[in-house]
Amino acid sequence: MDKRVSASEAISQIESGMTIGIGGWGIRRKPMSLVRELLKAGKENFTVVSYGGPDVGMLCASGKIKKLIFGFVSLETTPLEPHFRKTRQDGKIEIMEIDEGMLNLGLGAAGMRLPFSVTRAGLGTDALTLNPEIKTIKSPYSDEILVAMPALPLDIALIHVHEADVVGNTFIYGPDYFFDEQFARAASKVVVSTEKIIKTEEITIEKSLANRFERSLVTSVVEAEFGAHPTAATPNYGFDKLHLEKYSQTVDEKSWQDYFGTFIDIEHKRYVEAVGGKQFISSLEAPVF
């Protein structure tokens, strides 16, 4: 039952062409240590499902994405993620841009093993015009026309949490736990990176309230302190605004390759030192909601 693996072992489960769900949202609790490991792997042509931040941008910059299904892609302090913006403007990826709630419902349908979820979201908008694969359906109880948001099943989900034990019990603290349970339930496999591995006997009734999805869903656990950087893992640390600004300026090939060599093509412990060290990351101010 010990599900601990290294980051490289976890990412080795991913094959080219898979559909990958990436948890967190924007610049909050993204599994960036796993994303960096994926960037180094010789795999590509992914369909990525995400409430996107630098995870999507970096995968775009490395040419890993074939299709992106998203509610938004933003660095928040930099509203338009630069690599995603360039990739989309250049027409290099297929996209399904939908309402945030529609994305949530698509994951929810997959988690419940249903073909679609019913919603009013998207009616009267270009979400349906630009995504003809999304159909409408007539209510069997009235004449109302509703949107049938198709299920979004995932081959694998990558999620970052604050604590986990070796059998896959996970704990997300702070106010930004949104969507991860939907990603976990929609996926055939779930890889979790965690700030800290705890003993199962340390789990209390109070701590269990932060357990958002079942351990049976978790395939692998990777210990990665500061694994969400440069995004936030509130309350442990906030997002690194200066690093995100530096990353935002890497839109030409040379600057991206320099960034890749300095911050991605290294092991996680070296990454932590390269961005300022444990004390610096721990001091990053938490975002205010």
Side-chain angles (χ1 to χ4, degrees), residues 264-277:
I264 296 175
D265 199 17
I266 55 176
E267 63 179 12
H268 180 64
K269 288 183 179 179
R270 285 183 58 202
Y271 171 84
V272 170
E273 294 305 314
V275 298

Side-chain angles (χ1 to χ4, degrees), residues 22-227:
I22 304 178
W25 53 283
I27 55 174
R28 301 161 197 269
R29 217 171 23 76
K30 284 289 179 178
M32 294 307 298
S33 63
L34 297 176
V35 171
R36 286 187 287 270
E37 197 66 35
L38 181 59
L39 290 168
K40 293 183 285 186
K43 314 289 177 64
E44 57 187 3
N45 293 326
F46 301 126
T47 295
V48 173
V49 182
S50 179
Y51 292 91
D55 55 323
V56 168
M58 292 183 187
L59 289 166
C60 283
S62 293
K64 299 286 189 180
I65 298 179
K66 177 184 178 182
K67 180 177 182 179
L68 178 65
I69 302 172
F70 66 104
F72 59 78
V73 181
S74 174
L75 299 182
E76 299 190 41
T77 54
T78 304
L80 294 177
E81 210 289 343
H83 287 289
F84 161 72
R85 180 182 187 179
K86 185 176 188 303
T87 300
R88 183 173 180 183
Q89 287 178 334
D90 291 346
K92 292 183 177 179
I93 58 173
E94 302 172 38
I95 62 166
M96 177 191 277
E97 181 177 6
I98 51 179
D99 173 84
E100 296 171 38
M102 293 171 73
L103 181 61
N104 191 38
L105 288 168
L107 292 170
M112 293 186 286
R113 307 301 185 262
L114 295 173
F116 59 87
S117 287
V118 178
T119 180
R120 294 187 179 92
L123 288 172
T125 76
D126 279 344
L128 301 186
T129 305
L130 299 176
N131 299 292
E133 65 270 38
I134 301 178
K135 308 298 184 182
T136 57
I137 188 171
K138 184 177 179 180
S139 168
Y141 303 108
S142 69
D143 292 332
E144 184 177 7
I145 300 300
L146 300 166
V147 172
M149 177 60 207
L152 298 173
L154 310 173
D155 293 308
I156 194 164
L158 308 179
I159 296 171
H160 187 72
V161 302
H162 293 95
E163 292 181 341
D165 67 4
V166 300
V167 298
N169 291 301
T170 59
F171 306 93
I172 301 173
Y173 307 120
D176 61 347
Y177 55 86
F178 309 110
F179 313 122
D180 282 356
E181 65 178 276
Q182 285 87 346
F183 278 100
R185 294 196 175 101
S188 297
K189 293 183 178 181
V190 178
V191 174
V192 168
S193 59
T194 180
E195 293 287 322
K196 180 182 179 182
I197 291 181
I198 63 172
K199 296 178 180 179
T200 302
E201 52 265 34
E202 293 180 60
I203 299 173
T204 62
I205 293 176
E206 292 74 20
K207 190 183 290 290
S208 66
L209 296 175
N211 175 226
R212 308 293 174 181
F213 49 87
E214 298 82 0
R215 70 185 182 199
S216 59
L217 301 174
V218 177
T219 309
S220 304
V221 177
V222 179
E223 188 168 22
E225 187 179 17
F226 307 112

